[in-house]
Amino acid sequence: MKELQNYIDGYGFGISVKELATKAYRHLRSLGYDTCIVNDRYVEVEGTTYLLSKSRKNGRWIAKAF
């Protein structure tokens, strides 16, 4: 999901995954998406669950759908 990836690109590695998931949840909710947080580290958007993980190779957070 492009909106989620664009939003988390604005954060560095100093934020915890729990904080980032909460901020992403609130942002997507404000855009009108049906979203929830699963186990403090996954964001579910419109029925698709995304794992938020640090990618040191790319130097940014990555949202992976699974």
Side-chain angles (χ1 to χ4, degrees):
M1 156 169 256
K2 214 164 217 12
E3 289 88 357
L4 176 59
Q5 186 62 55
N6 288 340
Y7 182 74
I8 65 174
D9 280 345
Y11 289 92
F13 292 150
I15 191 170
S16 72
V17 70
K18 183 177 178 178
E19 281 183 81
L20 185 60
T22 301
K23 290 179 181 283
Y25 160 79
R26 289 181 182 154
H27 175 72
L28 293 170
R29 194 73 155 162
S30 73
L31 295 177
Y33 288 100
D34 180 24
T35 184
C36 67
I37 298 174
V38 181
N39 293 336
D40 289 335
R41 60 179 43 225
Y42 305 104
V43 179
E44 186 174 303
V45 183
E46 304 289 332
T48 303
T49 305
Y50 294 90
L51 167 69
L52 304 179
S53 63
K54 294 178 184 178
S55 173
R56 300 238 183 248
K57 178 182 175 183
N58 296 322
R60 64 185 182 133
W61 285 93
I62 302 291
K64 295 180 186 176
F66 69 96

